[in-house]
Amino acid sequence: MDVLKVLALPEGPRQRFLTIDSSPSLAPSQQLQLAVEDDRVAVHAPDSALALLDPASTTHLSGCIRCRKPGVASCSGCYAARYCSRECQVADRPYHKRLCGQQARFGEANRPSPRHIRCVFMAVGQPGPDFIWVEFDAKGCVSRSDLETLGYRSADILLVQINREGTTHKPPYFTAFMFPKNELTEPVNKAYLRIMAPRPGQIFPRRGSGVYMAFSAPTTQQQACQPRDVTMFDWNEAVIFSQTDASTPMVIDPGRFIGPAVPCIKLNCHGDCARYQIATMEKGTTPVEGQCLLKLYHWVSPYTVMLQLPWVSRWVFMNLDLVTTSRDPKAAQKNDQATFLDACVKFCPSTGVVDHIVHERFGGTQVLFHTAGAEVHPHHLTAFNRFLARIIPAEQNRISHIAAGPGDITLAELRSRATKTEFASFWEEYVAGLDRETDNDDIPASPYDVTPGLHAQEAGTHGAEDRAKIEAAWRGINERPEEQQSEEQQSERREMAARIAAELAELLPGVHVVVNTHP
């Protein structure tokens, strides 16, 4: 029988609390805490965390485990999950079927003792989640040494709290994942990836083995939260959390997702393409929730501003995992589709206008979306890249007011050629060249002919400040490069001109020499 045995737990007066990292949407005061006393580990909840609970809620008893509407029928396999419709049951099958087959072995009749609580264990090398019995003492404590037998090599444990502020469902109890805190030293938990994201590469990978537990609320903060059996409803709470966490860039199951989202394309870097066997570009949906953690990592390309394309890209931090799985992290993070999206504007400190544009080549997997909530199609980005590649030489990584080498273009030339009119004309040329037999069913309208989506207001808040700054700086460019140079650049040119004038004066005595500092 699958039993995690816990040894006798010693008594001890001293207790220390560890502040555990939790969901990014939780304030620190709302987070559960791990109480560590000698060899015992217990979960405590501050009073502010108790506000996340609704003691009167009964949704977990009779609600549909996928959408939380009133359930009208139970699963005929386990009788532990209720659904509101056949559609919800079919959609939930990939997440439910593995635990459904184990429910009978982990019922009340098979409980080893009243102290054994049903939890969900996600081992690194297993294909999916498994029920397991975990023995707690009367105070709700579990042995830390026994937790380490499940794969926790470190004394520090990361407790990922599922209960969040702002969700539509407030259960009368807490649920939480337990992972090794120093996750980057652990192998990727493929069981977690497979069950939480049936489509590969769309969720941030967890590392190390994980245990999912449920706890009833304590009477006071000094008491430990008492463990309770994990139900099928609880498990779906974990699925919802994992698929809609602030670090997850894609909407994996629209039926579970709560909050505004817009169409997007996911640009997979070389490492993700190789590891997950996925295409370089995928269509999907991305969250635009105002509280989304990813809003801190949005990027606006100067080229999208020039062409009046209100696109915003955001980085997907799956590339952190590539550092330990690839011999060449830079090559693994390379993203050919994002070369021009990664371009960076450097502003002149004295005038505030554009000083130069540099192709930073940050790389990594990215998500691209339209600030009006409209569709950004892979053909749109392909045409965008080809249009700019026709204008900008492949070897030129910096564009300034003065051409640095033969064949380079200047900012003034770029401004005259990279326009909305020119790109609209190029788009017609691009569409005409597509293979109608293979692409006819998936040729989108012009990137300028868009219909705002349902959540245009939420999407429009991202990157707005950066876009406005670039637009203002771009309008300041004129045909006199001297006026666009920084004070340091102007000083260097004046010094160079003075040296040339002095050298010519020595060669041509009696001749008045004037050197123009304009290019």
Side-chain angles (χ1 to χ4, degrees), residues 6 18 46 79 118 122 146 148 150 158 195-196 207 223 233 263 346 385 424 468 484 488 515:
V6 175
L18 303 178
Y79 298 98
R118 184 176 61 224
M122 305 188 73
D146 282 345
E148 290 176 355
L150 292 176
L158 174 68
I195 192 66
M196 298 305 182
R207 290 176 167 271
Q223 295 178 344
F233 189 94
K346 304 296 183 181
N385 287 332
Q484 308 303 324
E488 182 179 354
V515 178

Side-chain angles (χ1 to χ4, degrees), residues 403-440:
D408 286 358
I409 67 168
T410 64
L411 284 173
E413 293 172 327
L414 180 64
R415 183 189 62 173
S416 65
R417 299 173 63 184
T419 64
K420 177 180 178 179
T421 303
E422 291 293 329
F423 182 57
S425 176
F426 179 85
W427 171 257
E428 298 298 327
E429 177 186 333
Y430 171 82
V431 172
L434 293 176
D435 186 346
R436 293 290 177 173
E437 294 184 1
T438 59
D439 295 318
N440 191 47

Side-chain angles (χ1 to χ4, degrees), residues 60-116:
H60 63 291
L61 299 176
S62 58
C64 173
I65 68 172
R66 180 171 181 266
C67 69
R68 304 187 180 101
K69 295 178 182 177
V72 297
S74 299
C75 171
S76 60
C78 64
Y79 298 98
R82 295 183 63 82
Y83 296 98
C84 65
S85 63
R86 175 170 174 78
E87 289 74 18
C88 268
Q89 185 173 10
V90 171
D92 187 57
R93 187 64 181 167
Y95 314 98
H96 176 74
K97 61 182 180 181
R98 185 173 175 88
L99 292 180
C100 177
Q102 303 176 24
Q103 181 70 29
R105 293 191 295 116
F106 286 86
E108 191 63 38
N110 294 323
R111 190 185 304 274
S113 76
R115 295 191 303 275
H116 284 83

Side-chain angles (χ1 to χ4, degrees), residues 293-343:
L293 180 67
L294 293 170
K295 69 180 180 179
L296 301 176
Y297 308 105
H298 288 155
W299 189 259
V300 175
S301 167
Y303 297 119
T304 62
V305 177
M306 296 177 202
L307 302 180
Q308 300 182 38
L309 296 169
W311 297 349
V312 175
S313 58
R314 63 165 58 131
W315 278 277
V316 178
F317 294 105
M318 281 178 280
N319 58 358
L320 289 176
D321 188 46
L322 297 173
V323 175
T324 57
T325 59
S326 172
R327 295 181 179 179
D328 188 354
K330 290 186 178 180
Q333 295 179 32
K334 186 178 180 182
N335 196 328
D336 295 330
Q337 303 297 330
T339 299
F340 296 114
L341 292 177
D342 287 347

